[in-house]
Amino acid sequence: DVKVTQSSRYLVKRTGEKVFLECVQDMDHENMFWYRQDPGLGLRLIYFSYDVKMKEKGDIPEGYSVSREKKERFSLILESASTNQTSMYLCASSLRQKAFFGQGTRLTVV
Amino acid sequence: GESVGLHLPTLSVQEGDNSIINCAYSNSASDYFIWYKQESGKGPQFIIDIRSNMDKRQGQRVTVLLNKTVKHLSLQIAATQPGDSAVYFCAENIGDYKLSFGAGTTVTVRA
């Protein structure tokens, strides 16, 4: 089975902090994604990557950046955390269209 | 813009009954659709997928129906069990292996 692992289940950070969310997949998938999930809004795409060192903006990239130095690892960076970035963050990987998700990181910015 | 949406945000079902979860999509060029199940505190889990060249696909206790004429997708769960209580999302491929998700339907199974 595909395994997508996010480094933290819960995080609490202060406003203005730089935050790193890490994601690792073990299936040699080319594509990796970061979504945020908020009540009533479903999953919204922040950034995605088709290959190492490649990244593309999704629907809501403002306030975020990403890094993909190795194929199996895709990091989401909040340059200066704000309270409106309090959310559930979901990482996914896919070979083609079928995406597999990690367990999510619930981030609270105080 | 074009998006995927679900008809109802909540669905309450008696244990043992069949469940039908509906989804409308607006992108007529979408060629791939997928259903996910998300239990509380967990990430979305793949249930079943279907390509646009098919009308129906069956899995274990689940069936996905695709009506391209009216751009409608549904997930049917047979003999609903308490473990089926979750949020269900439909998603469509919008190109370049990206998926667009609806807001989700919360299914509650009554004992």
Side-chain angles (χ1 to χ4, degrees), chain B:
Chain B
E2 294 175 319
S3 62
V4 175
L6 288 164
H7 289 310
L8 292 173
T10 61
L11 178 67
S12 180
V13 182
Q14 185 69 38
E15 182 178 357
D17 286 353
N18 297 334
S19 303
I20 300 176
I21 306 166
N22 295 306
C23 180
Y25 66 95
S26 57
N27 187 346
S28 57
S30 294
D31 62 354
Y32 176 79
F33 303 87
I34 192 167
W35 280 98
Y36 287 93
K37 172 187 179 183
Q38 186 176 24
E39 296 175 275
S40 181
K42 298 183 179 179
Q45 178 184 10
F46 170 84
I47 302 174
I48 192 167
D49 57 359
I50 188 168
R51 296 202 174 276
S52 59
N53 60 354
M54 302 173 68
D55 297 322
K56 179 180 179 179
R57 191 164 188 221
Q58 288 185 293
Q60 187 176 10
R61 275 203 310 120
V62 294
T63 302
V64 56
L65 299 177
L66 177 62
N67 185 331
K68 295 180 287 293
T69 303
V70 295
K71 287 182 279 189
H72 183 268
L73 189 71
S74 69
L75 177 71
Q76 300 178 359
I77 304 173
T80 310
Q81 302 169 0
D84 295 326
S85 292
V87 180
Y88 291 81
F89 295 93
C90 64
E92 63 175 327
N93 175 45
I94 57 173
D96 296 330
Y97 306 134
K98 291 186 291 183
L99 295 173
S100 175
F101 289 82
T105 291
T106 300
V107 174
T108 302
V109 181
R110 306 188 306 272

Side-chain angles (χ1 to χ4, degrees), chain A residues 28-85:
Chain A
D28 202 37
H29 283 170
E30 302 287 342
N31 310 315
M32 295 190 75
F33 307 84
W34 275 105
Y35 293 86
R36 65 176 284 175
Q37 182 177 25
D38 301 288
L41 297 178
L43 279 72
R44 293 180 291 166
L45 182 63
I46 305 171
Y47 267 97
F48 59 100
S49 169
Y50 293 140
D51 203 347
V52 176
K53 297 192 186 295
M54 293 184 67
K55 59 184 178 183
E56 297 282 345
K57 292 180 180 180
D59 300 319
I60 51 166
E62 295 79 18
Y64 303 95
S65 63
V66 290
S67 172
R68 193 161 182 206
E69 296 297 317
K70 294 184 178 182
K71 192 174 187 180
E72 67 270 19
R73 186 180 298 269
F74 192 36
S75 302
L76 179 70
I77 304 154
L78 285 66
E79 298 291 342
S80 177
S82 63
T83 54
N84 63 12
Q85 292 179 309

Side-chain angles (χ1 to χ4, degrees), chain A residues 11-19 36 38 62-64 77-87 89 107-110:
Chain A
L11 277 178
V12 179
K13 297 292 181 180
R14 293 190 183 278
T15 301
E17 276 192 80
K18 190 169 186 176
V19 182
R36 65 176 284 175
D38 301 288
E62 295 79 18
Y64 303 95
I77 304 154
L78 285 66
E79 298 291 342
S80 177
S82 63
T83 54
N84 63 12
Q85 292 179 309
T86 291
S87 186
Y89 290 88
L107 172 66
T108 302
V109 182
V110 297

Side-chain angles (χ1 to χ4, degrees), chain A residues 88-100:
Chain A
M88 168 71 90
Y89 290 88
L90 292 163
C91 174
S93 75
S94 75
L95 182 60
R96 294 186 178 84
Q97 293 116 325
K98 186 188 292 186
F100 297 88

